[in-house]
Amino acid sequence: MLRNQGGEMKLQHWLTLLSGLVESLFFTGIAYGWASLVFVLKADGYFAAYCTNATRDEDSAVYTDTSVLLYPALSSLIIAGMMLYITNAQVGNLFHSYRSTTITIYNGAFESSAAVCLIIKLLYERGVSLHTSFLFLTLCNIIHCVRTIFLMPRRHIPYPLPETYTYGVSCTVQKRKRRREENDTVQTFKEGDAEKTEKDEKATFRSCVFSWLFFCHLVWVVTIILSQFIFLANVNPMLTRLADEDQTVVSHYTNAFAITQLCGVLFAPLSGLLMDRHKHRPLAPGETSREADLRSAPLALLLSCLLCFFFCVCFTCPVLPLQYVTFILQVFSSSFFYGLHQAFISIAFPASHFGKMSGMAMSLSALVLLLQFPLLHLIQNQLRGDPLYVNIGITVVSLLAFIHPVQVSLYCRELAKQRKNSQLTQQSLRSSDHEAVPSSSLRDKDEAGTSNHLESGVCLT
């Protein structure tokens, strides 16, 4: 990694990576630990006012007011987490050969940060109040400020990375010198890779958004994230129903699910390794690095679709012990999904559109996620708390995700076909040029010989 960089820059890159890993692990996906958090909120009486048999009249009014704040609080956690999630994904640009692996490690940390709510739950059971836990997390936000100033650039991290690229706070003289060297390096890079830059400029943001590649990716994103959120919204009521409202059993399964979520940071790099498995192989003649990256994507995307499908099948089955398998598949599916989403956006579209494309995909998927509210209303009222039919529908819908790996595979075949046709055209042009050169030389020789004979008085008949 970064063989051309100095030791100081290597250290800064590694500090950026490790500090971002801590940031992602403890702050990005806290809201996804809702299964553990809602257990504490129920025990703390946050929803007492909504119960028909509530006996604490004075406390009910207080908890009614505070429970309303859960909506903006969770919304703020999700929005802030997504912003950190998208920003930290660019750190993968610092590590060329392990770019996708780095991105998926960050997304695994994003998945594992749901375990923060498990820690809050365990501390609550040992006497630490919910207020104290969240106050501590609030004070820890100073980490974001320090990291932003010293270990993050003012703008996006370019890819490929110039050899003298610098970021963070440094002295003025050194900063100007490095900026001058960086500009020279960028200029050299632009001249040496003009073809790639020209293609990136042609790929406008509008053309990227309205491409089939992005549309199929959006279908894949919406399908998987809808199944994930439906499960997370129903996991506590489902466990309560399958355990016959035994809160000890529910607490045990909730802890098991949260511990499994903690392992997301271990599972996520697998998808990155699948995406980066070609990095140490030489490119085929005429093949671009983008084409090689895309060619490695269908296998990882197909695996993510299979994990999502089997995950939906397991949580549809109303068998309590089977939920251990459901928890494992959920973490695998979620880790693969978030990692591949960022990695695919980074390789399929120009780097200048990375944040916009990733943010638009998540924003459009958030609009589709509004469907979960009528579905939850359907489960709680018409279906009397039994989510079986809704889960069956979600399982069928999850099959739509398979469109994405098929489309990417066909797209790669089309690129390969165009590359071969271009090579054949170039070869035919070269061969025609070689044939034209001898014939023209022979014609020149004949003309020269004819003129010599004419000059010497010899008549050619």
Side-chain angles (χ1 to χ4, degrees):
M1 295 184 186
L2 304 172
R3 295 177 181 176
N4 296 326
Q5 299 287 341
E8 179 184 352
M9 297 312 301
K10 281 186 178 181
L11 178 61
Q12 188 182 30
H13 293 166
W14 279 104
L15 287 176
T16 300
L17 175 67
L18 295 177
S19 61
L21 189 62
V22 173
E23 186 178 72
S24 299
L25 192 58
F26 291 100
F27 298 101
T28 53
I30 298 177
Y32 294 93
W34 173 253
S36 299
L37 183 60
V38 72
F39 189 90
V40 177
L41 295 175
K42 285 182 177 180
D44 212 28
Y46 265 73
F47 309 109
Y50 301 102
C51 299
T52 55
N53 58 348
T55 56
R56 297 183 300 173
D57 296 333
E58 294 181 359
D59 292 341
S60 296
V62 176
Y63 285 120
T64 300
D65 295 335
T66 55
S67 63
V68 173
L69 296 177
L70 285 174
Y71 295 100
L74 287 175
S75 299
S76 299
L77 281 176
I78 293 174
I79 294 172
M82 282 297 173
M83 293 177 68
L84 292 173
Y85 161 75
I86 294 174
T87 303
N88 284 328
Q90 298 184 58
V91 176
N93 295 345
L94 299 175
F95 304 91
H96 171 72
S97 299
Y98 301 92
R99 185 189 184 195
S100 296
T101 305
T102 304
I103 292 174
T104 52
I105 288 174
Y106 271 116
N107 290 280
F110 173 82
E111 171 70 19
S112 297
S113 64
V116 171
C117 290
L118 170 64
I119 299 174
I120 293 174
K121 177 178 177 292
L122 296 176
L123 291 174
Y124 178 82
E125 293 173 348
R126 286 160 178 76
V128 180
S129 66
L130 195 64
H131 174 76
T132 303
S133 297
F134 276 100
L135 181 61
F136 175 76
L137 286 175
T138 303
L139 294 176
C140 287
N141 278 278
I142 189 67
I143 296 174
H144 307 321
C145 300
V146 175
R147 181 172 183 267
T148 301
I149 296 173
F150 294 99
L151 295 174
M152 290 296 288
R154 295 180 59 186
R155 299 177 179 86
H156 72 277
I157 301 176
Y159 182 82
L161 193 71
E163 294 182 1
T164 56
Y165 177 75
T166 59
Y167 58 92
V169 177
S170 60
C171 65
T172 306
V173 177
Q174 186 178 8
K175 190 173 182 179
R176 289 177 180 175
K177 181 180 179 181
R178 288 182 176 177
R179 185 178 297 175
R180 193 181 306 113
E181 294 176 353
E182 181 182 340
N183 292 334
D184 295 339
T185 304
V186 171
Q187 183 64 30
T188 304
F189 166 75
K190 287 182 178 180
E191 293 174 356
D193 204 10
E195 183 179 355
K196 181 177 182 299
T197 306
E198 183 178 352
K199 290 182 179 180
D200 286 349
E201 290 176 354
K202 291 181 179 179
T204 62
F205 177 64
R206 180 184 176 84
S207 64
C208 292
V209 170
F210 290 100
S211 64
W212 280 105
L213 203 61
F214 180 70
F215 175 76
C216 294
H217 180 71
L218 187 62
V219 172
W220 176 79
V221 168
V222 169
T223 302
I224 295 181
I225 204 171
L226 180 62
S227 64
Q228 296 283 339
F229 271 75
I230 289 294
F231 172 75
L232 292 175
N234 281 306
V235 60
N236 189 267
M238 177 190 67
L239 292 176
T240 303
R241 186 171 177 274
L242 295 178
D244 295 327
E245 299 187 358
D246 187 342
Q247 293 303 309
T248 303
V249 176
V250 174
S251 178
H252 169 74
Y253 275 88
T254 302
N255 291 345
F257 178 44
I259 292 173
T260 309
Q261 285 181 306
L262 185 61
C263 298
V265 70
L266 303 177
F267 300 152
L270 297 177
S271 59
L273 292 174
L274 286 175
M275 296 286 286
D276 287 334
R277 67 185 187 277
H278 68 285
K279 292 284 188 176
H280 301 287
R281 303 174 187 172
L283 296 176
E287 185 181 35
T288 62
S289 58
R290 175 180 179 270
E291 184 181 348
D293 291 340
L294 285 174
R295 189 162 40 83
S296 67
L299 178 60
L301 292 172
L302 178 62
L303 185 57
S304 69
C305 296
L306 290 172
L307 287 171
C308 179
F309 175 73
F310 288 120
F311 156 65
C312 292
V313 170
C314 287
F315 83 70
T316 300
C317 299
V319 180
L320 187 59
L322 185 62
Q323 301 314 308
Y324 288 118
V325 181
T326 304
F327 298 157
I328 296 174
L329 289 175
Q330 190 275 334
V331 174
F332 261 109
S333 176
S334 183
S335 300
F336 266 65
F337 163 70
Y338 285 107
L340 289 176
H341 164 60
Q342 296 284 33
F344 183 81
I345 291 290
S346 67
I347 65 177
F349 305 103
S352 58
H353 301 322
F354 173 77
K356 292 176 287 187
M357 298 297 292
S358 180
M360 174 164 285
M362 299 307 295
S363 299
L364 293 176
S365 64
L367 293 177
V368 178
L369 284 177
L370 295 176
L371 291 174
Q372 67 177 309
F373 296 108
L375 290 176
L376 294 176
H377 185 269
L378 177 66
I379 293 172
Q380 294 172 1
N381 294 279
Q382 278 71 26
L383 299 179
R384 298 179 181 179
D386 187 0
L388 179 62
Y389 294 108
V390 172
N391 291 343
I392 292 175
I394 294 296
T395 303
V396 174
V397 171
S398 68
L399 295 175
L400 292 175
F402 287 90
I403 294 175
H404 193 29
V406 172
Q407 196 273 338
V408 174
S409 180
L410 294 176
Y411 181 78
C412 291
R413 289 185 181 181
E414 183 65 24
L415 289 179
K417 184 179 179 180
Q418 293 177 2
R419 173 165 49 85
K420 290 180 180 179
N421 291 337
S422 177
Q423 290 176 351
L424 290 175
T425 303
Q426 292 178 358
Q427 289 177 1
S428 62
L429 290 175
R430 289 173 183 173
S431 61
S432 62
D433 291 340
H434 286 304
E435 292 175 358
V437 170
S439 61
S440 61
S441 300
L442 182 61
R443 187 166 54 251
D444 293 340
K445 289 181 180 180
D446 292 340
E447 292 176 354
T450 302
S451 61
N452 291 332
H453 283 295
L454 291 173
E455 290 176 358
S456 62
V458 177
C459 181
L460 296 176
T461 59

